[in-house]
């Protein structure tokens, strides 16, 4: 994988470059032509050779760049790249629309109703809780396992055949392989450089699909090996626990593991589709534990909940359809003395709490005074 990635980085750099490197020039010219060209440059310098090497085959990119500047008679050869004036296709930049990458629907003028905004705020708070647990610095070892990313800075150049169609007959007939490059006039030299650039660009672009295919096969093989390794460990375990996200991520692994019993905690907060991904033909028993009268599962798109009821969990749907279930009579989460205090006055307690929370000013502390059962203060009403 690392070897393929290095080759891909090399090809992408060549595709993204608007100059001809020393290695590309050596591959484009024959050995004799390259030696004659560099000897012509040394003759051009005369006695003032400075630190230029005598051997043409030790010429690196820095030396080659200086050679090209002298031969072309310009300080920036990249300006010769035949970039199309109008780039077709692709995605426009965020700057074109006056947006940044974190713009949301509000910036685009799409108004949300109150329920949708409240749902998004709730999802955002949940995401913050998850992010806070995962804020650890990425070390070099983890970086090596991350997805490959290579950014392109410049526009892709046209194919050589397309470019030839834009040339005049005189320039189209130029065959630099048969010419003494130092005898060409400046316009022909620059045209010759453009052809070098396009040939190198086209060669590098041609190997990208093959490298991508090899990387995909490599990734599939590595994923299969990793899945087999995890499967061997999991088969030795009596109980395997995972989040609903992991259930979707390791769906193939679960189908190979084939657990006969599936237990879902907080099932009323899990989307039905997430539970279904954990099931397979060998499943014999599904245990759902939760409370459908509390939080429902949240969808990434609020309209899916509001219009299509995707926020109804499998747990809630089965109960509403009359499936047999058991309700716990003991919660074991509160001291009996506190429970006896609150249970007779649940209505007053809830109303008083709502009254406090509905105040516009922030609340730093609160205390509750319970009235005789059945009486409600007018302020709360």
């Amino acid at each position: 994988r690392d070897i393929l990635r290095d080759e891909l980085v090399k090809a992408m750099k060549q595709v993204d470059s608007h100059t001809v490197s020393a290695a590309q020039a050596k591959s484009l010219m024959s050995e004799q032509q390259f030696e004659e060209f560099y000897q012509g440059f040394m003759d051009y310098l005369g006695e003032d050779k400075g630190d230029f090497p005598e051997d043409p085959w030790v010429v690196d990119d820095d030396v080659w760049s200086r050679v090209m500047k002298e031969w072309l008679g310009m300080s920036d050869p990249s300006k010769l790249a035949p970039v199309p004036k109008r780039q077709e296709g692709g995605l426009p930049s965020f700057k074109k629309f006056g947006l940044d990458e974190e713009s949301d629907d509000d910036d685009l003028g799409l108004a949300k109703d109150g329920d949708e905004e409240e749902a998004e705020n709730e999802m955002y708070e949940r995401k913050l809780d998850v992010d806070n647990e995962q804020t650890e610095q990425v070390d070099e070892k983890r970086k090596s396992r991350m997805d490959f990313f290579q950014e392109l800075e410049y526009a892709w150049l046209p194919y050589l055949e397309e470019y030839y169609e834009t040339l005049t007959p005189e320039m189209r007939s130029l065959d630099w392989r048969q010419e003494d490059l130092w005898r060409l006039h400046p316009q022909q030299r620059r045209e010759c450089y453009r052809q070098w650039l396009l040939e190198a660009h086209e060669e590098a672009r041609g190997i990208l699909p093959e490298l991508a295919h090899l990387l995909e096969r490599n990734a599939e093989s590595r994923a299969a090996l990793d899945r087999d390794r995890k499967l061997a460990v999991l088969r030795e375990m009596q109980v395997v626990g995972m989040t609903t996200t992991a259930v979707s991520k390791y769906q193939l692994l679960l189908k190979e593991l084939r657990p006969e019993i599936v237990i879902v905690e907080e099932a009323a907060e899990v989307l039905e589709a997430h539970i279904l991904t954990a099931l397979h033909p060998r499943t014999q028993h599904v245990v759902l534990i939760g409370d459908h009268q509390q939080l429902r599962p949240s969808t990434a798109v609020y309209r899916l909940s509001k219009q299509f009821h995707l926020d109804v969990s499998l747990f809630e749907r089965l109960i509403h359809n009359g499936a047999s279930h058991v309700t716990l009579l003991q919660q074991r989460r509160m001291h009996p003395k506190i429970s006896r205090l609150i249970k007779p006055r649940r209505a007053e307690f809830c109303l008083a709490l709502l009254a406090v929370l509905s105040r516009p000013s922030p609340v730093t502390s609160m205390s509750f005074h319970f009235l005789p059962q059945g009486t409600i203060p007018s302020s709360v009403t």
Side-chain angles (χ1 to χ4, degrees), residues 281-344:
R282 296 286 185 91
T283 303
Q284 298 180 10
H285 195 183
V286 180
V287 181
L288 304 179
I289 305 172
D291 186 353
H292 64 288
Q293 295 182 352
Q294 294 190 31
L295 288 177
R296 280 183 166 184
S298 59
T299 58
V301 180
Y302 179 72
R303 292 180 181 85
L304 294 177
S305 302
K306 190 174 182 180
Q307 299 178 8
F308 302 100
H309 309 292
L310 260 67
D311 61 339
V312 178
S313 63
L314 176 64
F315 184 93
E316 180 179 358
R317 190 166 64 82
L318 290 175
I319 289 179
H320 288 330
N321 283 306
S324 59
H325 60 280
V326 177
T327 302
L328 300 181
L329 301 178
Q330 293 181 336
Q331 47 132 327
R332 301 184 184 278
R333 289 187 178 182
M334 184 179 294
H335 195 279
K337 291 183 179 180
I338 301 177
S339 177
R340 286 195 296 269
L341 172 67
I342 295 177
K343 187 178 293 185

Side-chain angles (χ1 to χ4, degrees), residues 9-20:
V9 169
K10 181 180 177 181
M12 293 296 287
K13 287 182 177 179
Q14 293 176 356
V15 168
D16 197 35
S17 176
H18 281 187
T19 56
V20 179

